[in-house]
Amino acid sequence: MTPITHDESTPGWSAPDSLPPVVRHGSRTRREVALTFDADLTAHMRKRLASGEVASYANMQVVKELQRANVPATMFLTGLWMEEYPAETRYLAADELFELATHSQTHRAFRRKCFTLGYAPPEEMLEEVVRPIEHLRKTTPRYTRYFRFPGGCYDETALRTIAPAAVTVVDFDVVSGDAFCDSADKIVEQTLDRATNGSIILMHLGGPNAPQTANALPRVLDGLRAAGLTPVTLTRLLDGTTPQPSVPTGERPATTER
Ligand SMILES: [Zn+2]
């Protein structure tokens, strides 16, 4: 079991003796949004890399588009992704435009029946959360304790089980639909239709599983600007808001993640 490091000044830190807070959006009165990108990697996806079936699950064109536009974003990295892409992880960590967060070690679900994801049993859940946080902490002093559940799937058991990891759970209120979507137009439309003050927008950094993200991004950024919405990091978006300990309602926003 990976030891848990506690530093209350880390963005996203929460008291380990209570249920982790869950945030789905920031302040609805500020004209800011957070663009968030999940870097998924499962054991199965890793096999496809090893066999040469898939060339890469790191879509660095997404990163280039953000840098070109000088737009901040928050990346949720799985532990397997950081292990597979150490240079890319360090590259992201070195650019202050980006804030880095975690998305579990192996991208298994924390609740049964979550799309086609495998299931991490409760006795493995805490390690699934803690291990990538420690990996990130050793990579960059700018690490955070923001955590996103794979597939956005969790229940109260999952929240109770991961409480010692001292994280803030980050959901989203805008699903770009970029996972497995081959139409950039559709991603642009779905994102801009729903984005509003305080939105946390879900996108992916996952190469062939999100083939059109980079192509959609310039128009998404133009559209946000036209709507008067400024992309900021998650820490900035949540600044001044107090996330409350929360239990899931069972109503989950639809995602297309598999
Ligand atoms: Zn994911």
Side-chain angles (χ1 to χ4, degrees):
M1 179 75 201
T2 307
I4 300 173
T5 311
H6 282 290
D7 177 356
E8 296 186 22
S9 67
T10 308
W13 184 89
S14 70
D17 54 358
S18 58
L19 278 186
V22 178
V23 296
R24 296 187 179 90
H25 57 79
S27 162
R28 294 298 195 197
T29 61
R30 292 208 310 227
R31 303 203 52 73
E32 295 173 340
V33 296
L35 291 164
T36 67
F37 294 84
D38 292 358
D40 302 350
L41 200 62
T42 64
H44 177 67
M45 288 160 76
R46 228 180 187 186
K47 274 186 201 150
R48 296 178 73 192
L49 278 178
S51 71
E53 191 184 334
V54 168
S56 174
Y57 284 109
N59 186 354
M60 296 307 276
Q61 190 58 38
V62 166
V63 176
K64 289 204 182 83
E65 294 293 348
L66 292 166
Q67 288 171 324
R68 207 160 53 92
N70 198 33
V71 165
T74 304
M75 317 301 189
F76 286 82
L77 311 178
T78 54
L80 285 183
W81 196 92
M82 288 188 273
E83 287 172 16
E84 189 71 34
Y85 298 107
E88 286 81 354
T89 301
R90 285 194 301 272
Y91 180 81
L92 290 171
D95 190 333
E96 294 200 355
L97 263 187
F98 307 129
E99 188 161 69
L100 300 188
T102 57
H103 190 39
S104 84
Q105 177 63 24
T106 64
H107 205 264
R108 285 178 297 164
F110 286 64
R111 195 189 67 203
R112 288 191 194 279
K113 292 187 187 150
C114 175
F115 308 97
T116 58
L117 297 179
Y119 175 63
E123 62 273 20
E124 294 176 25
M125 285 179 181
L126 185 57
E127 177 70 3
E128 274 288 307
V129 177
V130 171
R131 198 167 148 194
I133 292 174
E134 284 303 302
H135 187 141
L136 194 56
R137 188 180 67 82
K138 286 173 187 155
T139 305
T140 171
R142 296 193 304 113
Y143 83 110
T144 71
R145 297 191 94 89
Y146 299 123
F147 167 73
R148 178 171 283 154
F149 284 106
C153 298
Y154 62 96
D155 55 19
E156 195 172 340
T157 302
L159 286 176
R160 282 193 195 294
T161 308
I162 69 161
V167 297
T168 293
V169 172
V170 179
D171 265 349
F172 37 81
D173 64 339
V174 175
V175 178
S176 72
D178 65 337
F180 304 98
C181 176
D182 53 19
S183 161
D185 290 349
K186 213 171 185 176
I187 298 166
V188 173
E189 190 186 307
Q190 293 189 143
T191 307
L192 296 179
D193 269 3
R194 295 167 196 170
T196 185
N197 290 358
S199 283
I200 297 175
I201 300 170
L202 171 68
M203 302 186 101
H204 290 82
L205 200 55
N209 283 3
Q212 294 297 327
T213 312
N215 297 334
L217 253 185
R219 278 183 286 155
V220 167
L221 299 181
D222 284 350
L224 291 174
R225 198 176 306 121
L229 295 169
T230 304
V232 296
T233 59
L234 203 53
T235 294
R236 161 76 208 200
L237 189 85
L238 301 178
D239 176 37
T241 65
T242 312
Q244 294 301 311
S246 157
V247 290
T249 59
E251 273 305 308
R252 306 283 312 122
T255 91
T256 49
E257 191 159 289
R258 288 183 219 157

